[in-house]
Coordinates of all heavy atoms in Angstrom, one line a residue:
M155 N 12.3 14.7 10.7 CA 12.4 13.6 9.8 C 11.8 14.0 8.4 O 10.8 13.5 8.0 CB 11.5 12.4 10.3 CG 12.2 11.7 11.5 SD 13.7 10.8 11.0 CE 12.9 9.3 10.2
A156 N 12.5 14.9 7.8 CA 12.0 15.4 6.5 C 12.8 14.6 5.4 O 13.9 14.1 5.6 CB 12.2 16.9 6.3
I157 N 12.1 14.6 4.3 CA 12.8 14.0 3.1 C 12.8 14.9 1.9 O 11.9 15.7 1.8 CB 12.2 12.6 2.7 CG1 10.8 12.8 2.2 CG2 12.3 11.6 3.8 CD1 10.3 11.7 1.3
L158 N 13.7 14.7 1.0 CA 13.6 15.3 -0.3 C 13.1 14.2 -1.3 O 13.4 13.1 -1.1 CB 15.0 15.8 -0.7 CG 15.5 17.1 -0.2 CD1 17.0 17.2 -0.5 CD2 14.8 18.2 -0.8
Y159 N 12.4 14.7 -2.3 CA 11.8 13.7 -3.2 C 11.9 14.3 -4.6 O 11.8 15.5 -4.8 CB 10.4 13.3 -2.8 CG 9.5 14.4 -2.8 CD1 8.7 14.8 -3.9 CD2 9.4 15.2 -1.6 CE1 7.8 15.9 -3.8 CE2 8.5 16.3 -1.6 CZ 7.7 16.6 -2.7 OH 6.9 17.7 -2.7
L160 N 12.0 13.4 -5.6 CA 12.0 13.8 -7.0 C 10.9 13.1 -7.7 O 10.7 11.9 -7.7 CB 13.4 13.3 -7.6 CG 13.6 13.8 -9.0 CD1 13.9 15.3 -9.1 CD2 14.9 13.0 -9.6
L161 N 10.1 14.0 -8.4 CA 9.0 13.5 -9.2 C 9.4 13.6 -10.7 O 10.1 14.6 -11.1 CB 7.7 14.4 -9.0 CG 7.2 14.5 -7.6 CD1 5.9 15.4 -7.6 CD2 6.8 13.1 -7.0
H162 N 9.1 12.6 -11.4 CA 9.4 12.5 -12.9 C 8.1 12.6 -13.7 O 7.1 11.9 -13.3 CB 10.1 11.2 -13.1 CG 10.3 10.9 -14.6 ND1 11.5 11.2 -15.3 CD2 9.5 10.3 -15.5 CE1 11.4 10.8 -16.5 NE2 10.2 10.2 -16.7
F163 N 8.1 13.5 -14.7 CA 6.9 13.6 -15.5 C 7.1 12.9 -16.8 O 8.1 13.0 -17.5 CB 6.6 15.1 -15.9 CG 6.5 16.0 -14.7 CD1 6.9 17.4 -14.8 CD2 6.1 15.6 -13.5 CE1 6.8 18.2 -13.8 CE2 6.0 16.4 -12.4 CZ 6.4 17.8 -12.5
E164 N 6.1 12.1 -17.2 CA 6.1 11.4 -18.5 C 4.8 11.6 -19.3 O 3.8 11.1 -18.8 CB 6.4 9.9 -18.2 CG 6.7 9.1 -19.4 CD 8.0 9.5 -20.1 OE1 9.0 9.6 -19.4 OE2 8.0 9.7 -21.3
P165 N 4.8 12.2 -20.4 CA 6.0 12.8 -21.1 C 6.3 14.2 -20.4 O 5.5 14.6 -19.5 CB 5.4 13.1 -22.5 CG 3.9 13.3 -22.3 CD 3.6 12.3 -21.2
P166 N 7.4 14.8 -20.7 CA 7.8 16.1 -20.0 C 6.7 17.1 -20.3 O 6.1 17.1 -21.3 CB 9.1 16.5 -20.7 CG 9.5 15.3 -21.5 CD 8.4 14.4 -21.7
L167 N 6.6 18.1 -19.4 CA 5.7 19.2 -19.6 C 6.6 20.4 -20.1 O 7.4 20.9 -19.3 CB 5.1 19.6 -18.2 CG 4.2 20.8 -18.2 CD1 2.9 20.5 -19.0 CD2 3.9 21.3 -16.8
R168 N 6.5 20.6 -21.4 CA 7.3 21.6 -22.0 C 8.8 21.3 -21.6 O 9.3 20.3 -21.9 CB 6.9 23.0 -21.6 CG 5.5 23.3 -22.1 CD 5.1 24.8 -22.0 NE 4.9 25.1 -20.6 CZ 3.7 25.0 -20.0 NH1 2.7 24.5 -20.6 NH2 3.6 25.3 -18.7
H169 N 9.4 22.3 -20.8 CA 10.8 22.0 -20.5 C 11.0 21.3 -19.2 O 12.1 20.9 -18.8 CB 11.6 23.4 -20.3 CG 11.5 24.2 -21.6 ND1 12.1 23.8 -22.8 CD2 11.0 25.4 -21.8 CE1 11.9 24.7 -23.7 NE2 11.2 25.7 -23.2
A170 N 9.9 21.1 -18.5 CA 10.0 20.5 -17.2 C 9.7 19.0 -17.2 O 8.7 18.5 -17.7 CB 8.9 21.1 -16.3
R171 N 10.7 18.3 -16.7 CA 10.5 16.8 -16.6 C 10.6 16.4 -15.1 O 10.3 15.2 -14.9 CB 11.7 16.2 -17.4 CG 11.4 14.7 -17.5 CD 12.2 14.2 -18.7 NE 11.5 12.9 -19.2 CZ 11.7 12.4 -20.4 NH1 12.5 12.9 -21.2 NH2 11.0 11.3 -20.7
H172 N 11.0 17.3 -14.2 CA 11.1 16.8 -12.8 C 10.7 17.9 -11.9 O 10.7 19.1 -12.2 CB 12.6 16.5 -12.5 CG 13.2 15.4 -13.4 ND1 13.8 15.7 -14.6 CD2 13.1 14.1 -13.3 CE1 14.1 14.6 -15.1 NE2 13.7 13.6 -14.4
Y173 N 10.3 17.4 -10.7 CA 10.0 18.4 -9.6 C 10.7 17.9 -8.4 O 10.5 16.7 -8.0 CB 8.5 18.5 -9.4 CG 8.2 19.3 -8.2 CD1 8.1 20.7 -8.3 CD2 8.0 18.7 -6.9 CE1 7.8 21.5 -7.2 CE2 7.7 19.5 -5.8 CZ 7.6 20.9 -6.0 OH 7.3 21.7 -4.9
L174 N 11.5 18.7 -7.8 CA 12.2 18.3 -6.6 C 11.5 19.0 -5.4 O 11.3 20.3 -5.4 CB 13.7 18.8 -6.7 CG 14.6 18.4 -5.5 CD1 14.8 16.9 -5.4 CD2 15.9 19.2 -5.6
G175 N 11.1 18.3 -4.4 CA 10.4 18.9 -3.3 C 11.0 18.4 -2.0 O 11.8 17.5 -1.9
Y176 N 10.5 19.0 -0.9 CA 11.0 18.8 0.4 C 9.7 18.7 1.3 O 8.9 19.5 1.2 CB 11.9 20.0 0.8 CG 12.3 20.0 2.3 CD1 13.4 19.4 2.7 CD2 11.6 20.8 3.2 CE1 13.8 19.4 4.0 CE2 12.0 20.8 4.5 CZ 13.1 20.2 4.9 OH 13.5 20.3 6.2
T177 N 9.7 17.7 2.1 CA 8.5 17.5 3.0 C 8.8 16.7 4.2 O 9.7 15.9 4.2 CB 7.4 16.8 2.2 OG1 6.2 16.7 3.0 CG2 7.8 15.4 1.8
A178 N 8.0 17.0 5.2 CA 8.1 16.2 6.4 C 7.1 15.0 6.4 O 7.2 14.1 7.2 CB 7.8 17.0 7.7
D179 N 6.3 14.9 5.4 CA 5.3 13.9 5.3 C 5.1 13.5 3.9 O 4.2 14.0 3.2 CB 3.9 14.4 6.0 CG 2.9 13.2 6.0 OD1 3.1 12.2 5.3 OD2 1.9 13.4 6.7
S180 N 6.0 12.6 3.4 CA 6.0 12.4 2.0 C 4.7 11.8 1.4 O 4.3 12.2 0.3 CB 7.2 11.5 1.6 OG 7.0 10.3 2.3
R181 N 4.1 10.9 2.1 CA 2.9 10.2 1.6 C 1.8 11.3 1.5 O 1.1 11.3 0.4 CB 2.5 9.1 2.6 CG 1.2 8.4 2.1 CD 0.9 7.2 2.9 NE 1.9 6.2 2.8 CZ 1.8 5.0 3.3 NH1 0.7 4.7 4.0 NH2 2.7 4.1 3.2
R182 N 1.6 12.1 2.5 CA 0.6 13.1 2.4 C 0.9 14.1 1.3 O 0.0 14.5 0.6 CB 0.4 13.8 3.8 CG -0.7 14.8 3.9 CD -1.1 15.0 5.3 NE -1.9 16.2 5.3 CZ -1.4 17.4 5.6 NH1 -0.1 17.5 5.8 NH2 -2.2 18.5 5.6
R183 N 2.1 14.5 1.3 CA 2.5 15.6 0.3 C 2.3 15.0 -1.2 O 1.8 15.7 -2.0 CB 3.9 16.0 0.5 CG 4.4 17.1 -0.4 CD 3.7 18.4 -0.2 NE 4.2 19.4 -1.0 CZ 3.4 20.4 -1.5 NH1 2.2 20.5 -1.1 NH2 4.0 21.4 -2.2
L184 N 2.6 13.8 -1.3 CA 2.5 13.2 -2.7 C 1.0 13.1 -3.0 O 0.6 13.4 -4.2 CB 3.1 11.8 -2.7 CG 3.3 11.2 -4.1 CD1 4.3 12.0 -4.9 CD2 3.8 9.7 -4.0
Q185 N 0.2 12.8 -2.1 CA -1.3 12.7 -2.4 C -1.7 14.1 -2.7 O -2.6 14.3 -3.6 CB -2.0 12.2 -1.2 CG -2.0 10.7 -1.1 CD -2.6 10.2 0.2 OE1 -2.9 10.9 1.1 NE2 -2.7 8.9 0.4
Q186 N -1.2 15.1 -2.1 CA -1.6 16.5 -2.4 C -1.2 16.8 -3.8 O -2.0 17.3 -4.6 CB -0.9 17.5 -1.5 CG -1.5 17.6 -0.1 CD -0.7 18.5 0.8 OE1 0.4 18.9 0.5 NE2 -1.4 19.0 1.9
H187 N 0.0 16.4 -4.2 CA 0.5 16.7 -5.6 C -0.5 16.0 -6.6 O -0.9 16.6 -7.5 CB 1.9 16.1 -5.8 CG 3.0 17.0 -5.3 ND1 3.0 18.4 -5.6 CD2 4.0 16.8 -4.5 CE1 4.1 18.9 -5.1 NE2 4.7 18.0 -4.4
L188 N -0.7 14.7 -6.3 CA -1.4 13.9 -7.3 C -2.9 14.3 -7.4 O -3.6 14.0 -8.4 CB -1.3 12.4 -7.0 CG 0.2 11.9 -7.1 CD1 0.2 10.4 -6.8 CD2 0.8 12.2 -8.5
S189 N -3.4 15.0 -6.4 CA -4.8 15.4 -6.4 C -4.9 16.9 -6.9 O -5.9 17.5 -6.8 CB -5.5 15.2 -5.1 OG -4.8 16.0 -4.1
G190 N -3.7 17.4 -7.3 CA -3.7 18.8 -7.8 C -3.6 19.9 -6.7 O -3.8 21.0 -7.0
H191 N -3.3 19.5 -5.5 CA -3.2 20.5 -4.4 C -1.8 20.7 -4.0 O -1.6 21.3 -2.9 CB -4.1 20.1 -3.2 CG -5.5 19.9 -3.6 ND1 -6.3 20.9 -4.0 CD2 -6.3 18.8 -3.7 CE1 -7.6 20.5 -4.2 NE2 -7.6 19.2 -4.0
G192 N -0.9 20.2 -4.8 CA 0.5 20.5 -4.4 C 1.1 21.7 -5.2 O 0.5 22.7 -5.2
S193 N 2.2 21.5 -5.8 CA 2.8 22.6 -6.5 C 2.1 22.9 -7.9 O 1.5 22.0 -8.5 CB 4.3 22.3 -6.8 OG 4.4 21.8 -8.1
P194 N 2.1 24.2 -8.3 CA 1.4 24.5 -9.6 C 2.1 23.8 -10.7 O 1.4 23.4 -11.7 CB 1.7 26.0 -9.7 CG 2.0 26.5 -8.3 CD 2.6 25.3 -7.6
L195 N 3.3 23.5 -10.7 CA 4.0 22.8 -11.7 C 3.5 21.3 -11.9 O 3.1 20.9 -13.0 CB 5.5 22.7 -11.5 CG 6.3 21.9 -12.6 CD1 6.2 22.6 -13.9 CD2 7.8 21.8 -12.2
V196 N 3.3 20.7 -10.8 CA 2.8 19.3 -10.8 C 1.3 19.3 -11.3 O 0.9 18.5 -12.0 CB 2.9 18.6 -9.4 CG1 2.3 17.2 -9.5 CG2 4.4 18.5 -9.0
R197 N 0.6 20.3 -10.8 CA -0.8 20.4 -11.2 C -0.9 20.6 -12.7 O -1.7 20.0 -13.4 CB -1.5 21.6 -10.5 CG -3.0 21.6 -10.7 CD -3.7 22.6 -9.8 NE -3.2 23.9 -9.8 CZ -2.8 24.7 -8.8 NH1 -2.8 24.2 -7.6 NH2 -2.4 25.9 -9.0
A198 N 0.0 21.4 -13.2 CA 0.0 21.7 -14.7 C 0.3 20.4 -15.5 O -0.2 20.1 -16.5 CB 1.0 22.8 -15.0
A199 N 1.3 19.7 -14.9 CA 1.7 18.4 -15.6 C 0.5 17.4 -15.6 O 0.3 16.8 -16.6 CB 2.9 17.8 -14.8
L200 N -0.2 17.3 -14.5 CA -1.3 16.4 -14.5 C -2.4 16.9 -15.4 O -3.0 16.1 -16.1 CB -1.9 16.3 -13.0 CG -1.0 15.6 -12.0 CD1 -1.5 15.8 -10.6 CD2 -0.9 14.1 -12.3
A201 N -2.6 18.2 -15.5 CA -3.7 18.7 -16.3 C -3.3 18.5 -17.8 O -4.2 18.4 -18.6 CB -3.8 20.2 -16.1
A202 N -2.0 18.4 -18.1 CA -1.6 18.2 -19.5 C -1.6 16.7 -19.8 O -1.3 16.3 -20.9 CB -0.2 18.8 -19.7
G203 N -1.9 15.9 -18.8 CA -2.0 14.4 -19.1 C -0.7 13.7 -18.8 O -0.6 12.5 -19.2
C204 N 0.3 14.3 -18.2 CA 1.5 13.6 -17.8 C 1.3 12.6 -16.7 O 0.4 12.9 -15.9 CB 2.6 14.6 -17.4 SG 3.0 15.9 -18.6
T205 N 2.1 11.6 -16.7 CA 2.1 10.7 -15.6 C 3.2 11.2 -14.7 O 4.3 11.4 -15.1 CB 2.4 9.2 -16.1 OG1 1.4 8.8 -17.0 CG2 2.5 8.3 -14.9
V206 N 2.8 11.3 -13.4 CA 3.8 11.8 -12.4 C 4.2 10.7 -11.5 O 3.3 10.1 -10.9 CB 3.1 13.0 -11.6 CG1 4.1 13.5 -10.5 CG2 2.8 14.1 -12.5
T207 N 5.5 10.4 -11.5 CA 6.0 9.3 -10.7 C 7.0 9.7 -9.7 O 7.9 10.5 -10.0 CB 6.6 8.2 -11.6 OG1 5.7 8.0 -12.7 CG2 7.0 7.0 -10.9
L208 N 6.9 9.2 -8.5 CA 7.9 9.4 -7.4 C 9.0 8.5 -7.7 O 8.9 7.3 -7.7 CB 7.3 9.2 -6.1 CG 8.3 9.3 -4.9 CD1 8.7 10.7 -4.7 CD2 7.7 8.7 -3.6
V209 N 10.2 9.1 -8.1 CA 11.3 8.2 -8.6 C 12.4 8.1 -7.6 O 13.2 7.2 -7.7 CB 11.9 8.7 -9.9 CG1 10.9 8.4 -11.1 CG2 12.2 10.1 -9.9
R210 N 12.5 9.1 -6.7 CA 13.7 9.0 -5.8 C 13.4 9.8 -4.5 O 12.7 10.8 -4.6 CB 14.9 9.5 -6.5 CG 16.2 9.2 -5.7 CD 17.4 9.4 -6.6 NE 18.6 9.3 -5.8 CZ 19.8 9.6 -6.2 NH1 20.0 10.1 -7.5 NH2 20.9 9.5 -5.5
T211 N 13.9 9.4 -3.4 CA 13.8 10.1 -2.2 C 15.1 10.1 -1.5 O 16.0 9.2 -1.6 CB 12.8 9.5 -1.2 OG1 13.1 8.2 -0.9 CG2 11.4 9.5 -1.8
W212 N 15.4 11.2 -0.7 CA 16.6 11.3 0.1 C 16.1 11.5 1.5 O 15.5 12.5 1.9 CB 17.4 12.6 -0.3 CG 18.0 12.5 -1.6 CD1 19.4 12.2 -1.8 CD2 17.5 12.8 -2.9 NE1 19.6 12.3 -3.2 CE2 18.5 12.7 -3.9 CE3 16.2 13.2 -3.3 CZ2 18.3 12.9 -5.2 CZ3 16.0 13.4 -4.7 CH2 17.0 13.2 -5.6
P213 N 16.3 10.5 2.3 CA 15.9 10.6 3.7 C 16.8 11.6 4.5 O 17.9 11.9 4.0 CB 16.1 9.2 4.3 CG 17.0 8.5 3.4 CD 16.9 9.2 2.0
N214 N 16.2 12.1 5.5 CA 17.0 13.1 6.3 C 17.3 14.3 5.5 O 18.4 14.9 5.5 CB 18.2 12.6 7.0 CG 17.9 11.3 7.8 OD1 17.0 11.4 8.6 ND2 18.7 10.3 7.6
G215 N 16.4 14.7 4.6 CA 16.6 15.9 3.7 C 16.6 17.2 4.5 O 16.0 17.3 5.6
T216 N 17.3 18.1 3.9 CA 17.4 19.5 4.5 C 17.1 20.5 3.5 O 17.3 20.2 2.3 CB 18.8 19.8 5.1 OG1 19.7 19.7 4.1 CG2 19.1 18.7 6.2
R217 N 16.7 21.7 3.9 CA 16.5 22.8 3.0 C 17.8 23.1 2.2 O 17.8 23.5 1.0 CB 16.1 24.0 3.7 CG 14.6 23.9 4.2 CD 13.7 24.1 3.0 NE 12.3 24.1 3.5 CZ 11.3 24.0 2.6 NH1 11.4 23.9 1.4 NH2 10.0 24.0 3.1
T218 N 18.9 22.9 2.9 CA 20.2 23.2 2.3 C 20.5 22.2 1.1 O 20.9 22.6 0.0 CB 21.4 23.0 3.3 OG1 21.0 23.8 4.4 CG2 22.7 23.5 2.7
L219 N 20.2 21.0 1.3 CA 20.4 20.0 0.3 C 19.4 20.2 -0.9 O 19.8 20.1 -2.0 CB 20.2 18.6 0.8 CG 20.3 17.4 -0.2 CD1 21.8 17.4 -0.8 CD2 20.1 16.1 0.4
E220 N 18.2 20.6 -0.5 CA 17.2 20.9 -1.6 C 17.7 22.0 -2.5 O 17.6 21.9 -3.7 CB 15.8 21.3 -0.9 CG 14.8 21.7 -1.9 CD 13.6 22.4 -1.3 OE1 13.7 23.0 -0.2 OE2 12.5 22.4 -1.9
R221 N 18.2 23.1 -1.8 CA 18.7 24.2 -2.6 C 19.9 23.8 -3.5 O 20.0 24.2 -4.6 CB 19.1 25.4 -1.6 CG 19.2 26.7 -2.3 CD 19.0 27.8 -1.3 NE 19.6 27.5 0.0 CZ 19.0 27.5 1.2 NH1 17.8 27.8 1.3 NH2 19.7 27.2 2.3
K222 N 20.7 23.0 -2.9 CA 21.9 22.5 -3.6 C 21.5 21.7 -4.9 O 22.0 22.0 -6.0 CB 22.7 21.7 -2.7 CG 24.2 21.5 -3.1 CD 25.0 21.0 -1.9 CE 25.6 19.7 -2.3 NZ 26.3 19.0 -1.1
L223 N 20.6 20.8 -4.7 CA 20.2 20.0 -5.8 C 19.4 20.8 -6.8 O 19.6 20.6 -8.1 CB 19.3 18.8 -5.3 CG 20.0 17.8 -4.4 CD1 19.0 16.7 -4.0 CD2 21.1 17.1 -5.2
K224 N 18.6 21.7 -6.4 CA 17.9 22.6 -7.3 C 18.8 23.5 -8.1 O 18.7 23.6 -9.3 CB 16.8 23.4 -6.6 CG 15.6 22.7 -6.4 CD 14.5 23.5 -5.8 CE 13.2 22.8 -5.7 NZ 12.2 23.5 -4.9
N225 N 19.8 24.0 -7.4 CA 20.7 24.9 -8.1 C 21.5 24.2 -9.1 O 21.9 24.8 -10.2 CB 21.7 25.6 -7.1 CG 20.9 26.6 -6.2 OD1 19.8 27.0 -6.6 ND2 21.5 27.0 -5.2
R226 N 21.8 23.0 -8.9 CA 22.6 22.2 -9.8 C 21.8 21.8 -11.1 O 22.4 21.5 -12.1 CB 23.2 20.9 -9.2 CG 24.4 21.3 -8.4 CD 24.8 20.2 -7.4 NE 24.6 18.8 -7.9 CZ 24.8 17.7 -7.2 NH1 25.0 17.8 -5.9 NH2 24.6 16.6 -7.7
K227 N 20.5 21.9 -11.0 CA 19.6 21.6 -12.1 C 20.0 20.2 -12.7 O 20.1 20.1 -13.9 CB 19.7 22.7 -13.2 CG 19.2 24.0 -12.7 CD 18.9 25.0 -13.8 CE 18.7 26.4 -13.4 NZ 17.9 26.6 -12.2
H228 N 20.2 19.3 -11.8 CA 20.6 18.0 -12.3 C 19.5 16.9 -12.2 O 19.7 15.8 -12.0 CB 21.8 17.5 -11.5 CG 23.1 18.1 -12.0 ND1 24.3 18.0 -11.3 CD2 23.3 18.9 -13.0 CE1 25.2 18.7 -11.9 NE2 24.7 19.2 -13.0
G229 N 18.3 17.4 -12.4 CA 17.1 16.5 -12.3 C 17.4 15.2 -13.1 O 17.2 14.1 -12.6
P230 N 17.7 15.4 -14.4 CA 17.9 14.2 -15.2 C 19.0 13.3 -14.7 O 18.9 12.0 -14.8 CB 18.3 14.7 -16.6 CG 17.7 16.1 -16.6 CD 17.8 16.6 -15.2
R231 N 20.0 13.8 -14.1 CA 21.1 13.0 -13.7 C 20.7 12.3 -12.4 O 21.2 11.2 -12.1 CB 22.3 13.9 -13.4 CG 23.6 13.1 -13.0 CD 24.8 13.9 -12.8 NE 25.2 14.6 -14.0 CZ 26.3 15.4 -14.0 NH1 27.0 15.6 -12.9 NH2 26.6 16.0 -15.1
L232 N 19.9 12.9 -11.6 CA 19.5 12.3 -10.3 C 18.4 11.3 -10.5 O 18.1 10.5 -9.6 CB 18.9 13.5 -9.4 CG 19.9 14.6 -9.0 CD1 19.2 15.7 -8.3 CD2 21.0 14.0 -8.1
C233 N 17.7 11.3 -11.7 CA 16.5 10.5 -11.9 C 16.9 9.1 -12.4 O 17.5 9.0 -13.4 CB 15.6 11.2 -12.9 SG 14.2 10.3 -13.3
P234 N 16.4 8.1 -11.7 CA 16.7 6.7 -12.1 C 16.0 6.3 -13.4 O 16.5 5.4 -14.1 CB 16.3 5.8 -11.0 CG 15.3 6.7 -10.2 CD 15.7 8.1 -10.4
I235 N 15.0 7.0 -13.8 CA 14.3 6.7 -15.1 C 15.1 7.3 -16.2 O 15.4 6.7 -17.3 CB 12.9 7.2 -15.1 CG1 12.0 6.4 -14.1 CG2 12.3 7.2 -16.5 CD1 10.6 6.8 -14.0
C236 N 15.5 8.6 -16.1 CA 16.2 9.3 -17.1 C 17.7 8.8 -17.2 O 18.3 8.9 -18.3 CB 16.2 10.8 -16.9 SG 14.6 11.5 -16.9
N237 N 18.2 8.4 -16.1 CA 19.6 8.1 -16.1 C 19.9 6.8 -15.2 O 20.4 6.9 -14.2 CB 20.4 9.3 -15.5 CG 21.9 9.2 -15.8 OD1 22.3 8.2 -16.3 ND2 22.6 10.3 -15.6
P238 N 19.4 5.7 -15.7 CA 19.5 4.4 -14.9 C 20.9 4.0 -14.5 O 21.0 3.4 -13.5 CB 18.8 3.4 -15.8 CG 18.7 4.0 -17.2 CD 18.8 5.5 -17.0
R239 N 21.9 4.4 -15.2 CA 23.2 4.0 -14.9 C 23.8 4.7 -13.8 O 24.6 4.2 -13.0 CB 24.1 4.1 -16.1 CG 23.9 3.1 -17.2 CD 24.9 3.3 -18.3 NE 24.6 2.4 -19.4 CZ 25.3 2.4 -20.5 NH1 26.3 3.2 -20.7 NH2 24.9 1.6 -21.6
H240 N 23.5 6.0 -13.7 CA 24.2 6.8 -12.7 C 23.3 7.2 -11.5 O 23.8 8.0 -10.7 CB 24.7 8.1 -13.4 CG 25.7 7.8 -14.4 ND1 27.0 7.3 -14.1 CD2 25.6 7.8 -15.8 CE1 27.6 7.1 -15.3 NE2 26.8 7.4 -16.3
A241 N 22.1 6.8 -11.4 CA 21.2 7.2 -10.3 C 21.7 6.5 -9.1 O 22.2 5.4 -9.1 CB 19.8 6.9 -10.7
Ligands
LIG101 ZN1 13.4 11.6 -15.0

């Protein structure tokens, strides 16, 4: 029961505005991120004063889907904040 999730940074951290992750325990993983124990990118965003928001999840996520979404680099298109019409 893993999910994929998309975090949105406001304001963006340099070129990074999103973080796409994969987890079997989204609530715990999100707490790790927000307390600075998740990915280095999210930690850097928090340290820079960005607000990090969980904007989207895909239930029944797989590593394959994660790789596919990451390769497409379509964070802004997948994000309901950046792209409310097409999310
Ligand atoms: Zn966004």
Side-chain angles (χ1 to χ4, degrees):
M155 286 293 281
I157 65 157
L158 280 167
Y159 58 95
L160 184 69
L161 303 179
H162 170 97
F163 305 154
E164 189 67 47
L167 177 71
R168 298 189 291 274
H169 301 299
R171 190 156 204 165
H172 301 95
Y173 175 84
L174 182 71
Y176 171 88
T177 181
D179 186 345
S180 59
R181 180 174 294 188
R182 183 157 164 270
R183 184 63 178 151
L184 194 63
Q185 280 172 352
Q186 285 179 341
H187 277 309
L188 297 181
S189 61
H191 300 294
S193 92
L195 178 63
V196 177
R197 186 166 62 231
L200 290 169
C204 303
T205 301
V206 177
T207 309
L208 176 68
V209 290
R210 193 166 172 188
T211 59
W212 289 262
N214 305 315
T216 62
R217 287 285 183 191
T218 307
L219 179 61
E220 178 191 24
R221 197 155 42 236
K222 200 165 120 187
L223 294 177
K224 276 186 174 170
N225 287 346
R226 277 161 46 186
K227 297 195 193 321
H228 282 172
R231 186 180 294 182
L232 299 169
C233 175
I235 290 180
C236 297
N237 199 349
R239 287 185 187 176
H240 298 287

